[in-house]
Amino acid sequence: MQGLNLPLPALNTLQADYLKQATELWNQTLQKGDGKPAAPSDRRFSAQDWAGNPASAYIAQMYLLNARTLMQMAEAVEGDAKTKQRVRFAVQQWVDAASPSNYLALNPEAQRKALETKGESISQGLKHLWNDVQQGHLSQTDESVFEVGRNVATTEGAVVFENELFQLIEYKPLTAKVFERPMLFVPPCINKYYIMDLQPDNSLIRYTVEQGHRVFVVSWRNPDESLADRTWDQYIEDAAIRAIREVQDISGSKQLDTLGFCVGGTILATALAVLAARGEHPAASVTLLTTLLDFSNTGILDIFVDETMVQVREMTLGPKSPGGGSLLKGQELASTFSFLRPNDLVWNYVVGNYLKGETPPPFDLLYWNSDSTNLPGPMYCWYLRNTYHENKLMQPGALTVCGEKVDLGVIKAPVYVYASREDHIVPWDAAYKNTQVLRGAKGRVRFVMGASGHIAGVINPPAKGKRSHWIGTGSTLPADAQDWFAKAKEHPGSWWTDWADWLKPHAGKQIAAPKTYGNRTHKAIEPAPGRYVKQKA
């Protein structure tokens, strides 16, 4: 903080503007009687209750003025880019927390509801608060409505292999014939796989099965203390590579199509690079969804990562910690991601659940979002240092994984790279860099950008006709993402159909669909979705 400076001319300008706007606001409040919303563009204050009470309207408008001024001050601070970003983030967190809508004494909507219900809304809010304290997280949806295997993660299949890190699920074919090359999904291990299998009408897994693919999915185990010392190498060798081996064995096909989502894509690419170093190239194609391989631009998450932070994590969670490793608790990860969008994912529910006593409506995606997972400390610390902090994964030969020098450029398979335009976790232009890192594809790379964010952009089934996606023109991809976007063409609807068309030529000929799960050496262990996905953090 010693290197920061707020220039005096900028401060003087801000003070003068603030006094002028505050005076105008006071005069408008004295004259106002039109009953219009206090702040129609801000949903926190758009209700008539705020406009109907002059004091509440004034408080809302003064809060917004204060918030704008504080953020302008944060923008005016002089310092290095990362520190300025941290200042802006910290000020934004404070500003959002200080909103008068978050407090019963200042929220006229909550006060009116308390009067109308004779205090029942407050009583119900306290019950919601106590329930959330007991479960250890803020409820973003009515979690009692959902049950994994009953109304989420319901695509029919069976577990055909398991070890201490993952279960391998094979899904029942929905077509008389399937492509000869099977499909393996590697989801992120910081969340559960059923983001790709929420409901039948928005399931990427079911959609892929319907296209005639024999689909296998890695279902990560939610680590407990017995797995607290597991490493990145073990996740690559004993999970990703092991899953590839088992799918090859079960299907009888040496090559398979592969898909990785978010950190699952990072794990998949690392595993394929390790196998390439051993002279093996099992992937007929690679699909990467909102995945980082080059971590030079990590968006908002960059503010959390520096050498001090990484060292603290290594000493408290990693191999250097007492006992050789401990768990990164899932609730810590979930809270971090929620506070990246605090008004939408935190304070909105504080107001609704606790101040108004409302039960949030059922929403499958938010149920999945609250179903958090732990991570082994050593595995997490390796990932943190070598990707987010030092960005070594994209540097040929800079890292040794499973005893092999890693070079992502030697992966020979054609690649489909998907990014979401409004993704705050994996910025779309950062995902675009994958097209340059995966040099071994030699011109066989397709980049597609979808609308919306990290999850909603990916989970966008064609039948709903929502959003849009962009596809580049020409046969080559420019080095710069903005150059690609300048010539890209927007198409209405889901990107899934484009991906399905791209995937077909890489899947081989069609053969009769198998009538049973697994093979002679891989019997069905239990029905999908299996035990591992039901384990709570």
Side-chain angles (χ1 to χ4, degrees):
M1 299 295 292
Q2 293 178 349
L4 295 178
N5 178 49
L6 184 58
L8 189 59
L11 181 59
N12 290 336
T13 300
L14 286 171
Q15 288 176 333
D17 289 345
Y18 179 83
L19 289 173
K20 179 183 178 182
Q21 292 180 63
T23 302
E24 292 175 350
L25 181 60
W26 176 250
N27 291 332
Q28 291 171 6
T29 301
L30 293 177
Q31 301 170 6
K32 187 174 181 180
D34 54 13
K36 293 181 181 179
S41 61
D42 192 315
R43 67 179 184 181
R44 292 173 295 179
F45 311 113
S46 60
Q48 186 59 36
D49 299 272
W50 291 93
N53 184 324
S56 295
Y58 178 70
I59 288 172
Q61 291 290 357
M62 277 303 298
Y63 160 76
L64 292 172
L65 173 59
N66 290 334
R68 289 195 301 271
T69 304
L70 283 168
M71 291 308 300
Q72 287 169 350
M73 290 177 67
E75 289 291 339
V77 167
E78 292 181 342
D80 67 271
K82 189 162 187 172
T83 304
K84 286 185 64 174
Q85 189 180 24
R86 286 175 166 171
V87 170
R88 289 194 296 268
F89 181 79
V91 171
Q92 187 68 64
Q93 293 294 320
W94 189 89
V95 163
D96 292 343
S99 171
S101 60
N102 298 338
Y103 303 94
L104 181 61
L106 299 174
N107 189 322
E109 286 183 88
Q111 294 168 7
R112 173 182 55 78
K113 188 162 188 179
L115 291 172
E116 290 177 349
T117 62
K118 298 180 179 179
E120 180 61 28
S121 63
I122 295 177
S123 174
Q124 194 64 34
L126 290 172
K127 290 180 182 178
H128 289 325
L129 175 61
W130 179 240
N131 177 71
D132 287 353
V133 169
Q134 289 181 307
Q135 71 181 6
H137 65 265
L138 175 69
S139 295
Q140 298 174 330
T141 185
D142 185 355
E143 297 181 22
S144 65
V145 172
F146 298 101
E147 181 183 345
V148 176
R150 181 175 63 84
N151 54 6
V152 290
T154 59
T155 300
E156 188 174 354
V159 175
V160 291
F161 173 83
E162 67 182 34
N163 63 16
E164 66 175 9
L165 293 178
F166 76 101
Q167 288 186 318
L168 183 66
I169 301 173
E170 180 182 2
Y171 288 92
K172 182 179 179 180
L174 296 174
T175 54
K177 291 187 175 183
V178 296
F179 291 102
E180 64 177 336
R181 293 188 184 123
M183 182 86 203
L184 173 64
F185 283 22
V186 182
C189 54
I190 59 173
N191 294 108
K192 295 185 176 179
Y193 85 87
Y194 66 88
I195 184 58
M196 297 186 287
D197 189 31
L198 289 171
Q199 306 280 344
D201 63 349
N202 64 357
S203 169
L204 180 58
I205 289 174
R206 183 179 180 87
Y207 176 81
T208 308
V209 175
E210 289 173 341
Q211 303 309 303
H213 297 277
R214 188 178 181 183
V215 177
F216 295 81
V217 174
V218 169
S219 173
W220 297 101
R221 182 176 172 186
N222 200 340
D224 55 21
E225 292 297 337
S226 68
L227 299 177
D229 63 350
R230 297 307 186 266
T231 65
W232 179 264
D233 279 22
Q234 288 174 296
Y235 266 67
I236 300 302
E237 189 75 70
D238 300 335
I241 291 177
R242 186 61 184 271
I244 290 171
R245 304 272 194 228
E246 299 305 323
V247 172
Q248 288 174 320
D249 188 1
I250 292 170
S251 66
S253 174
K254 291 184 178 181
Q255 285 206 307
L256 57 153
D257 294 301
T258 60
L259 178 148
F261 187 176
C262 189
V263 67
T266 311
I267 290 173
L268 172 63
T270 305
L272 293 174
V274 168
L275 290 174
R278 297 172 181 173
E280 300 179 51
H281 298 275
S285 72
V286 179
T287 298
L288 299 176
L289 309 180
T290 60
T291 292
L292 287 173
L293 299 180
D294 180 337
F295 287 73
S296 56
N297 174 18
T298 56
I300 187 64
L301 293 178
D302 181 63
I303 67 170
F304 298 106
V305 182
D306 59 21
E307 180 61 28
T308 301
M309 177 268 195
V310 173
Q311 286 188 14
V312 169
R313 290 299 201 180
E314 289 172 340
M315 290 186 290
T316 55
L317 299 175
K320 300 177 184 178
S321 64
S326 57
L327 292 176
L328 174 67
K329 297 296 185 179
Q331 189 51 49
E332 181 180 346
L333 281 172
S335 296
T336 298
F337 284 112
S338 290
F339 274 98
L340 298 179
R341 294 168 53 200
N343 282 332
D344 293 333
L345 297 178
V346 180
W347 300 114
N348 174 49
Y349 297 103
V350 168
V351 173
N353 298 5
Y354 307 152
L355 303 192
K356 299 180 182 177
E358 299 169 347
T359 300
F363 187 15
D364 53 6
L365 194 152
L366 288 177
Y367 172 77
W368 165 85
N369 190 56
S370 66
D371 193 3
S372 59
T373 57
N374 302 321
L375 283 179
M379 176 267 189
Y380 165 72
C381 289
W382 189 99
Y383 176 62
L384 192 64
R385 173 171 289 283
N386 291 292
T387 59
Y388 275 90
H389 184 41
E390 297 183 355
N391 194 22
K392 286 184 175 179
L393 184 61
M394 54 80 67
Q395 303 172 32
L399 293 176
T400 299
V401 179
C402 303
E404 308 291 346
K405 293 287 186 180
V406 174
D407 182 358
L408 298 177
V410 301
I411 299 172
K412 296 181 179 181
V415 182
Y416 189 102
V417 177
Y418 168 84
S420 291
R421 187 178 185 183
E422 296 152 38
D423 194 335
H424 61 295
I425 296 173
V426 179
W428 79 266
D429 50 351
Y432 184 86
K433 292 179 182 292
N434 297 344
T435 64
Q436 312 301 313
V437 173
L438 298 168
R439 307 178 311 277
K442 294 182 178 179
R444 297 174 297 165
V445 180
R446 187 171 183 81
F447 181 81
V448 173
M449 182 178 69
S452 196
H454 189 68
I455 298 299
V458 174
I459 308 304
N460 183 26
K464 295 192 176 183
K466 290 185 176 181
R467 307 185 185 96
S468 60
H469 60 281
W470 287 259
I471 299 174
T473 57
S475 57
T476 60
L477 292 169
D480 186 83
Q482 294 300 332
D483 290 341
W484 173 88
F485 184 63
K487 297 181 180 180
K489 183 178 179 181
E490 185 175 4
H491 301 263
S494 173
W495 60 273
W496 288 14
T497 52
D498 179 77
W499 172 67
D501 291 341
W502 176 87
L503 186 60
K504 284 179 183 178
H506 305 298
K509 64 182 181 182
Q510 291 201 318
I511 59 176
K515 292 183 168 49
T516 59
Y517 298 114
N519 60 12
R520 292 181 180 179
T521 58
H522 293 77
K523 303 299 182 183
I525 298 172
E526 60 180 333
R531 306 185 313 281
Y532 285 11
V533 75
K534 297 179 181 180
Q535 295 169 338
K536 297 293 183 179

